[in-house]
Amino acid sequence: MGLADDILYVGVLLASILSGKLVRFIPIETGGIYLRRWASTGLGILFALLVSGAHILHLFIEILINALVIKLVSPKICHLVSLVLSFLYLFIFRLSGQLNLPEPPAHTNAIIMILTLKVVGLAFEVHDDENLDTTETRTESQKLSPRFIDIFHYGLSHVGLITGPYYKYRVWEGMYRDPWNPAVSGKDEDLINSALYKRAKNVPLYMTAFLISGYLFPLAVVETKEWQASNSFLWKVFYMMPVFFNFRMRIYSGFCLSECACISAGLGAYPEESCPRPGQGPSKPEMLKQISNAKTVNFNTVYNIDEWGADFVPTMREALKCWNMTVQHWLVMVVYKRFPIRSLRTAAVMLMSSVWHGVYSGYYLSLGSVPLCLIVEDLWVRKVRPQLSSPNQARFDWISWIVRMRWFDYLGMGFLLLRVNTTMQYWTGVYFIGHLSLPLLYVLGLIVISLIKKKKKKDEEGEEKSGSKPEQRGKKD
């Protein structure tokens, strides 16, 4: 996307934040719940129409398909039918140009990505709710049975429309009903304002860094033959760092603003006692029965990016958990925990993530390489690091951070260049340094582990010998 697209993107996010405040002006009493839902849906359609034009039809089609599946197909299989049909339609949507259909703009792709997670996630919620193993007798009002129109409201809500975060259907319902939610009670407006400030305060810094780094280190030049021919190996290795930095600043800006849109609307407000988690909502839902008007409410349910962690945790495995956290919850809930072959669960998650991101081969080249990085990293973190002293563990963490950031830079080029030819051209220019480092580091790790074991064995033998000498002397005496 170009600068004009980014400006439109930010404009829609800012309008979404303001819209949350406007929708909350509608009184919740005397049918206000339904008025708020219609207002939110109307704003969502307006924003989608603004960035998509006639391509908004794709959103209506996908929602209609899933609404029919959820209402007409048995809950035992509705989740699988929804998953297959939704991702099949996502492929058709992305191949519009090759199918001689009008090609939708990039912003419509962003909307339908989040929409796909929501409608598929709803089908899984319905399935799991129907098969819930509980000894308690639930009333009809407690069962998850969304109406046809509610599925449309959920799918087209202005909250998180263009960037996410992903949130469950029950979380969306809570935005209009939960008594502890400041957006419902009308009290504790300061809770919303302080949460907004906390997430928005760094956005100007991220945006400034994004604009400066994009101007100094443009991505587009690396695709030209002149740039590839005129620059050295070391410069190409270095250039990956500011390019990926620019990407991070863009993501941080967008995700923080999208969280602010949720907070402004009151989405994802839960008492701290219920231990809300990104994407999931309360991890201790039983606590909600004991709470009617909590004063310690947070918005962790829509917390989608841990910028500090993404930049500074020492390992790739930890850093991945800091990115797009609500989507990661969806991947864990839908793919990881249900995939039958345990040893292939991580690979299955990365494959599903690649499919969700798009049809470009760069996604598969990058995300498909992540499990290989994790294998090497786990060898060092689990086998070598525990054998080190505390000071050496700290040094190990610094080295680990440097290595994993360079892996991110390297793999990020495939994610940004998208096409296989441009990605391979760049990786060839740096002699596939990211991939070549993997077997080298793995073999080095095995050597280090072997040396540690030998040293440990030698030390143990030395202790045994030193311990046996006094016994031998005692016998002589």
Side-chain angles (χ1 to χ4, degrees):
M1 292 191 291
L3 184 58
D5 288 323
D6 288 329
I7 292 172
L8 178 61
Y9 172 74
V10 172
V12 171
L13 289 175
L14 293 175
S16 297
I17 296 171
L18 178 61
S19 297
K21 177 78 171 178
L22 295 175
V23 171
R24 284 192 287 113
F25 279 138
I26 301 174
I28 206 74
E29 300 83 8
T30 63
I33 289 177
Y34 300 103
L35 287 176
R36 284 191 180 188
R37 286 184 178 181
W38 278 108
S40 178
T41 302
L43 288 165
I45 293 173
L46 177 63
F47 294 151
L49 194 61
L50 179 65
V51 300
S52 304
H55 296 284
I56 193 176
L57 183 63
H58 289 290
L59 310 181
F60 287 110
I61 292 173
E62 182 160 22
I63 293 173
L64 177 62
I65 291 171
N66 281 276
L68 290 171
V69 169
I70 290 168
K71 299 304 293 182
L72 300 179
V73 178
S74 168
K76 292 182 179 180
I77 60 170
C78 71
H79 59 306
L80 299 177
V81 176
S82 172
L83 180 68
V84 171
L85 292 181
S86 296
F87 275 84
L88 179 62
Y89 189 81
L90 194 59
F91 264 109
I92 294 172
F93 168 83
R94 285 167 171 163
L95 295 173
S96 296
Q98 289 88 326
L99 297 173
N100 295 321
L101 298 172
E103 195 162 353
H107 290 308
T108 311
N109 180 60
I111 295 173
I112 203 169
M113 285 174 68
I114 292 297
L115 177 62
T116 299
L117 299 186
K118 288 166 70 176
V119 291
V120 173
L122 174 55
F124 273 82
E125 285 185 75
V126 170
H127 166 77
D128 292 344
D129 189 75
E130 184 68 22
N131 295 278
L132 188 65
D133 183 18
T134 179
T135 56
E136 295 183 12
T137 303
R138 292 175 297 165
T139 64
E140 288 299 318
S141 62
Q142 291 175 316
K143 292 181 180 179
L144 185 62
S145 181
R147 299 178 304 165
F148 209 84
I149 191 63
D150 291 334
I151 298 172
F152 274 86
H153 284 313
Y154 171 59
L156 291 171
S157 172
H158 80 280
V159 184
L161 178 77
I162 196 168
T163 311
Y166 163 74
Y167 51 88
K168 292 183 175 181
Y169 180 83
R170 287 200 186 276
V171 172
W172 171 79
E173 279 190 318
M175 183 170 60
Y176 302 105
R177 297 184 183 277
D178 291 340
W180 55 78
N181 192 325
V184 175
S185 66
K187 303 175 183 178
D188 298 319
E189 182 78 11
D190 288 343
L191 284 173
I192 292 178
N193 292 335
S194 61
L196 275 173
Y197 173 75
K198 182 180 179 181
R199 291 310 286 148
K201 63 182 180 180
N202 292 327
V203 172
L205 175 63
Y206 299 150
M207 287 186 171
T208 302
F210 165 71
L211 293 172
I212 294 174
S213 59
Y215 176 78
L216 295 176
F217 303 96
L219 174 66
V221 298
V222 308
E223 299 186 44
T224 63
K225 292 181 179 180
E226 294 79 13
W227 190 90
Q228 289 289 337
S230 61
N231 287 286
S232 67
F233 162 77
L234 290 177
W235 179 251
K236 291 173 185 176
V237 171
F238 165 79
Y239 204 85
M240 295 188 290
M241 289 189 278
V243 165
F244 189 63
F245 172 82
N246 176 261
F247 173 72
R248 297 203 308 277
M249 294 304 104
R250 183 178 183 276
I251 293 296
Y252 295 171
S253 300
F255 279 10
C256 286
L257 288 176
S258 64
E259 286 180 44
C260 288
C262 296
I263 295 168
S264 177
L267 178 75
Y270 285 100
E272 290 185 358
E273 295 88 342
S274 66
C275 299
R277 294 177 181 171
Q280 177 181 346
S283 59
K284 296 181 179 179
E286 67 278 3
M287 297 297 296
L288 299 178
K289 298 176 182 179
Q290 307 170 20
I291 301 167
S292 59
N293 187 21
K295 291 184 178 180
T296 53
V297 171
N298 65 43
F299 290 87
N300 288 351
T301 299
V302 294
Y303 185 39
N304 203 28
I305 185 78
D306 177 3
E307 310 96 277
W308 182 265
D311 267 20
F312 295 110
V313 294
T315 67
M316 176 175 276
R317 190 175 290 277
E318 291 175 284
L320 289 172
K321 293 178 181 178
C322 299
W323 279 86
N324 219 352
M325 293 186 286
T326 60
V327 173
Q328 287 198 47
H329 168 75
W330 186 95
L331 289 167
V332 169
M333 178 187 73
V334 171
V335 183
Y336 188 85
K337 289 185 176 181
R338 302 173 198 262
F339 197 75
I341 306 174
R342 191 177 186 88
S343 61
L344 297 178
R345 284 179 175 179
T346 300
V349 167
M350 291 302 167
L351 177 61
M352 177 63 79
S353 181
S354 301
V355 171
W356 178 68
H357 276 97
V359 295
Y360 289 108
S361 52
Y363 296 137
Y364 298 86
L365 291 171
S366 294
L367 294 174
S369 301
V370 170
L372 303 177
C373 297
L374 294 179
I375 291 171
V376 176
E377 182 180 82
D378 287 345
L379 177 73
W380 282 87
V381 172
R382 296 176 182 178
K383 299 292 185 179
V384 176
R385 189 180 185 277
Q387 306 298 325
L388 304 177
S389 63
S390 294
N392 285 332
Q393 284 185 353
R395 296 185 185 98
F396 176 95
D397 289 342
W398 276 106
I399 296 171
S400 176
W401 172 75
I402 293 170
V403 171
R404 77 92 174 164
M405 285 300 292
R406 302 296 72 79
W407 279 344
F408 266 87
D409 298 337
Y410 175 80
L411 297 178
M413 296 306 293
F415 211 87
L416 294 169
L417 294 173
L418 299 176
R419 298 186 302 277
V420 64
N421 59 327
T422 52
T423 302
M424 297 302 285
Q425 180 188 45
Y426 199 94
W427 283 354
T428 301
V430 294
Y431 300 104
F432 292 92
I433 186 172
H435 285 98
L436 287 178
S437 70
L438 298 177
L440 294 176
L441 287 172
Y442 193 83
V443 171
L444 179 61
L446 293 176
I447 293 172
V448 171
I449 292 169
S450 177
L451 292 174
I452 290 174
K453 286 182 179 179
K454 287 180 179 179
K455 183 179 184 302
K456 190 175 182 181
K457 186 177 180 181
K458 186 177 181 181
D459 292 342
E460 289 175 352
E461 290 175 352
E463 290 177 2
E464 289 177 1
K465 289 180 179 180
S466 62
S468 63
K469 287 181 180 179
E471 293 179 5
Q472 293 174 355
R473 289 173 183 171
K475 287 179 180 179
K476 289 180 180 179
D477 293 341

